[in-house]
């Protein structure tokens, strides 16, 4: 868990400002817990995966934004799982 944190948001610690440290730690804890919950719901392989793997498999979406008649549309690839 600590190695996952150091590769992400906890790499910004320590800062000279206590409030900045508290904000980074809080945001890291929220993101970590949300990704863990999503990984557990996604299946047994992702329940034990690292944060970087969860981000690559569940969060990163190969999409592009298209604008038509003042509407924003997200276009996904046809073969994307």
């Amino acid at each position: 868990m600590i190695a996952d944190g150091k590769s992400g948001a906890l790499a910004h610690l320590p800062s000279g400002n206590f409030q900045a440290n508290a904000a980074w730690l809080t945001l890291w804890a929220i993101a970590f817990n949300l990704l863990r919950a999503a990984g557990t719901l996604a299946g047994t392989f992702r329940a034990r995966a690292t944060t970087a793997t969860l981000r690559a498999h569940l969060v990163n979406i190969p999409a592009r934004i298209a604008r038509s008649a003042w509407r924003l549309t997200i276009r996904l690839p046809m073969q994307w799982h």
Side-chain angles (χ1 to χ4, degrees):
M1 189 165 81
I2 293 172
D4 277 345
K6 285 184 179 179
S7 68
L10 294 184
H12 297 280
L13 295 176
S15 172
N17 188 349
F18 179 76
Q19 286 83 14
N21 289 340
W24 277 114
L25 189 61
T26 303
L27 291 174
W28 171 77
I30 291 170
F32 182 81
N33 288 331
L34 286 174
L35 273 175
R36 285 287 147 209
T40 303
L41 292 174
T44 57
F45 166 72
R46 292 184 180 95
R48 296 180 49 108
T50 63
T51 305
T53 304
L54 290 175
R55 235 182 287 128
H57 287 222
L58 299 178
V59 178
N60 292 343
I61 299 173
R64 65 181 179 90
I65 298 176
R67 184 182 307 235
S68 173
W70 297 96
R71 288 180 90 176
L72 292 177
T73 306
I74 297 177
R75 303 284 174 131
L76 297 173
M78 296 293 285
Q79 303 299 325
W80 188 68
H81 57 279

